[in-house]
Amino acid sequence: MTAHIIDGKAVAAKIRGEQKERILRMQAAHGVTPGLAVILVGEDPASQVYVRNKITACREVGIRSELIKLPATASQAEVLKRIDELNADKGIHGILVQLPLPKQVDVHAVLEHIDFHKDVDGFHLYNVGGLITGHTVFPPCTPYGVQKLLEHEKINVEGLNVVVVGASNIVGKPMALMLMQQDATVCICHKKTRDLAQFTTLADILVVAAGVPGLIQPQMVKPGAVVIDVGINRLPDGRIVGDVDFEGVSKKASAITPVPGGVGPMTIAMLLFNTVESAERSVAA
Ligand code: NAP
């Protein structure tokens, strides 16, 4: 078997195009342009690249973005004060705080300070809790991107065995909750899971978000499984790879996401989606 390659780049481009159209319609009907504020504290080089990419993506679809740069020495009170201002700003529909934050700033205090109606990253406790009850305002962008990819591939997860490898707060755990909401039977594995293959071989859908290159080998995958590789790892030779042995596993799976070009482009697309959604809700309200 040779797996169908799930083209995240193409799906993300389609979603971005749809957001462009939604924005044009909103501007024509209500004179409203969605606004996203990005708070960047400090000079972390990777964070600067991520923020730049998000701002470029906003510009391309017509979202107005505002970058608030604070020094690495900024106090928690300063960060919270900027969030207060953005919470009150009617022209801002989404607020994103780029992580990680410097040590003196408590990440939980910052995330909980964002008005959850503007929490387009989906990290506020309300949105996290809402994943359990099905009342989240914004699902977090990476698992939401995976969900959209599965929808695009017309894969109905109801009743399927899904194994999520990785249990982080931003990917693994919300992913598992979102799939449970859709009536999949979900198992979450992590570093302390004994005999990972015992679980992964049961998966009709295997979602891997561990940050370990080559973690998933062909013998760990059920023939015909759908494999979603969230991992992004830079090898010493500079290559970017996922967590799955793509070459080997793509001979066994029925469908697989590549890295790069799979889940990665979907994350930013869903950030744009959430921001446009927020603006539309504010218009409707
Ligand atoms: P993280 O916070 O480091 O969490 C990694 C999770 O994987 C943890 O739950 C950890 O278990 C588990 N894990 C680590 N080694 C394992 C192993 N050998 N076997 C089983 N589980 C293992 O990472 P993250 O933020 O969730 O990100 C995971 C990967 O996805 C990274 O490569 C990251 O770059 C990538 N990522 C991609 C996107 C995207 O847009 N495509 C977005 C976010 C992240 P413990 O809980 O026991 O420590």
Side-chain angles (χ1 to χ4, degrees):
M1 180 180 293
T2 304
H4 157 66
I5 311 290
I6 301 175
D7 188 350
K9 223 169 147 185
V11 180
K14 181 170 173 278
I15 291 172
R16 287 202 308 269
E18 288 164 358
Q19 304 326 300
K20 221 179 208 173
E21 286 169 22
R22 282 171 88 183
I23 292 168
L24 289 174
R25 281 198 297 273
M26 205 185 325
Q27 285 169 333
H30 305 283
V32 171
T33 298
L36 175 71
V38 180
I39 299 180
L40 175 62
V41 188
E43 311 277 332
D44 178 56
S47 292
Q48 288 181 348
V49 173
Y50 295 142
V51 165
R52 206 179 314 132
N53 290 345
K54 288 169 189 173
I55 284 175
T56 304
C58 280
R59 194 172 43 238
E60 281 169 5
V61 298
I63 292 174
R64 187 179 66 79
S65 63
E66 201 174 299
L67 174 59
I68 293 134
K69 274 183 158 176
L70 297 173
T73 52
S75 68
Q76 182 166 313
E78 279 174 79
V79 181
L80 297 186
K81 183 168 166 284
R82 297 312 290 262
I83 294 175
D84 279 333
E85 290 163 7
L86 296 167
N87 282 342
D89 186 339
K90 288 201 160 44
I92 292 294
H93 305 96
I95 303 170
L96 183 159
V97 178
Q98 186 63 44
L99 303 179
L101 289 168
K103 280 193 189 70
Q104 74 277 11
V105 183
D106 176 19
V107 63
H108 299 292
V110 166
L111 295 178
E112 269 39 291
H113 210 69
I114 297 171
D115 177 349
F116 63 80
H117 294 101
K118 297 189 179 188
D119 172 39
V120 287
D121 249 347
F123 293 164
H124 187 288
L125 211 46
Y126 181 93
N127 280 322
V128 175
L131 291 173
I132 289 182
T133 60
H135 292 92
T136 192
V137 179
F138 295 110
C141 300
T142 300
Y144 201 12
V146 172
Q147 182 182 311
K148 289 283 172 192
L149 274 183
L150 293 172
E151 281 171 22
H152 181 267
E153 294 296 314
K154 302 199 172 19
I155 296 164
N156 179 3
V157 303
E158 188 183 302
L160 296 187
N161 284 354
V162 180
V163 175
V164 179
V165 180
S168 73
N169 289 342
I170 62 163
V171 189
K173 284 182 200 157
M175 183 81 261
L177 291 168
M178 289 164 77
L179 292 161
M180 275 168 73
Q181 278 294 332
Q182 295 173 62
D183 295 326
T185 301
V186 181
C187 163
I188 312 183
C189 301
H190 44 77
K191 232 183 246 172
K192 298 198 179 75
T193 299
R194 287 186 229 153
D195 188 6
L196 187 59
Q198 179 195 345
F199 297 96
T200 57
T201 47
L202 291 177
D204 301 309
I205 300 178
L206 180 59
V207 182
V208 192
V212 181
L215 179 65
I216 302 299
Q217 293 295 316
Q219 67 276 15
M220 300 166 78
V221 176
K222 177 174 160 178
V226 173
V227 179
I228 307 288
D229 191 353
V230 182
I232 302 177
N233 310 290
R234 185 179 285 277
L235 297 181
D237 64 8
R239 275 185 304 139
I240 301 285
V241 297
D243 293 348
V244 176
D245 166 16
F246 181 83
E247 216 182 299
V249 171
S250 58
K251 293 191 179 81
K252 206 162 173 195
S254 62
I256 188 168
T257 57
V259 179
V263 177
M266 293 298 290
T267 298
I268 289 191
M270 297 323 293
L271 173 69
L272 305 177
F273 180 97
N274 277 349
T275 305
V276 177
E277 190 76 15
S278 179
E280 278 188 357
R281 286 177 194 165
S282 81
V283 166

